[in-house]
Amino acid sequence: GNSVTQMEGPVTLSEEAFLTINCTYTATGYPSLFWYVQYPGEGLQLLLKATKADDKGSNKGFEATYRKETTSFHLEKGSVQVSDSAVYFCALFYGGSEKLVFGKGTKLTVNP
Amino acid sequence: DAGITQSPRHKVTETGTPVTLRCHQTENHRYMYWYRQDPGHGLRLIHYSYGVKDTDKGEVSDGYSVSRSKTEDFLLTLESATSSQTSVYFCAISVQTSGASYNEQFFGPGTRLTVL
């Protein structure tokens, strides 16, 4: 079946450090891929997306590239800020089901 | 925030009591979802709806029922709450972008439920 595996963390970094959160997926066909972010006390919000192989999604300095050959969608940011502290979820959407499949989330804490 | 509200935002109840959570949207989107969020499990789909009176089960539907009598409201009911249902519950809607191959989901602010 369709599934998402992401690095569980927690991840603790100092401000301005480089961030990578790994995400791999298993899916039939060609899913769309997403990263969602959840700030403390809030619901999830879409951070970035990619809908086909080699697409790069980007937003707020975060990037992720849809790699079909490695079935991966790793999230990266070159220089994290304290305000990036949140839980990050990788997810896939497969057409026809109208459902998202989420990874378990990775908690990021950025210290000043 | 896509006009999604959830009520109540916090609830404490006792084992064995029925509980109903409400999700309300203002934009008449067809698809609505209920998830629960637990440490170590991420988000898991409980039930979803694809129209008035049209609902289906998700991966963790046991002990939950849903109803959708009008487009804007999607109710989640715990018939007899148990401590294992202590969780944060999120409602979501799915918004289809014209010409896109995906639907974007927007989430409500969540309901924190504690079952004692």
Side-chain angles (χ1 to χ4, degrees):
Chain A
N2 299 304
S3 65
V4 174
T5 302
Q6 68 178 99
M7 179 177 146
E8 290 193 17
V11 175
T12 302
L13 296 173
S14 298
E15 208 164 22
E16 300 184 1
F18 184 85
L19 169 71
T20 300
I21 301 178
N22 290 338
C23 171
T24 57
Y25 67 91
T26 301
T28 54
Y30 303 96
S32 295
L33 301 173
F34 305 87
W35 278 99
Y36 279 80
V37 59
Q38 183 182 33
Y39 298 105
E42 299 183 9
L44 279 71
Q45 54 186 278
L46 182 64
L47 179 60
L48 54 83
K49 61 185 180 292
T51 59
K52 61 183 186 297
D54 301 324
D55 267 2
K56 178 184 283 188
S58 60
N59 186 25
K60 300 182 180 180
F62 291 88
E63 294 183 338
T65 301
Y66 189 147
R67 301 285 188 200
K68 187 171 182 296
E69 63 276 14
T70 55
T71 61
S72 65
F73 193 55
H74 304 321
L75 182 68
E76 296 182 335
K77 186 174 186 183
S79 177
V80 294
Q81 305 301 311
V82 172
S83 57
D84 294 326
S85 297
V87 181
Y88 293 83
F89 293 90
C90 186
L92 69 83
F93 173 86
Y94 49 107
S97 75
E98 301 301 326
K99 293 186 282 189
L100 279 173
V101 175
F102 286 92
K104 294 184 178 181
T106 302
K107 183 176 182 179
L108 170 67
T109 301
V110 181
N111 295 319
Chain B
D1 65 359
I4 306 169
T5 57
Q6 294 185 230
S7 58
R9 294 293 314 278
H10 301 272
K11 186 170 182 66
V12 179
T13 191
E14 294 189 351
T15 297
T17 60
V19 175
T20 295
L21 308 182
R22 179 178 182 246
C23 177
H24 178 79
Q25 58 149 328
T26 58
E27 299 181 359
N28 293 320
H29 293 290
R30 181 180 172 195
Y31 285 88
M32 299 183 75
Y33 307 79
W34 276 108
Y35 294 90
R36 60 179 289 174
Q37 183 178 19
D38 304 289
H41 292 278
L43 265 74
R44 293 180 290 174
L45 182 65
I46 304 171
H47 282 279
Y48 67 103
S49 169
Y50 45 96
V52 173
K53 299 191 189 309
D54 292 323
T55 64
D56 206 349
K57 296 178 180 180
E59 62 179 299
V60 290
S61 58
D62 287 348
Y64 301 94
S65 62
V66 289
S67 66
R68 193 165 178 203
S69 59
K70 46 186 178 177
T71 301
E72 58 265 36
D73 289 325
F74 191 32
L75 303 181
L76 176 71
T77 297
L78 289 65
E79 304 289 350
S80 177
T82 67
S83 58
S84 65
Q85 294 176 310
T86 293
S87 187
V88 181
Y89 292 85
F90 287 98
C91 174
I93 61 171
S94 184
V95 178
Q96 187 168 31
T97 303
S98 177
S101 60
Y102 64 93
N103 291 353
E104 181 174 343
Q105 287 197 10
F106 291 86
F107 287 78
T111 294
R112 184 173 294 277
L113 175 68
T114 302
V115 183
L116 301 176

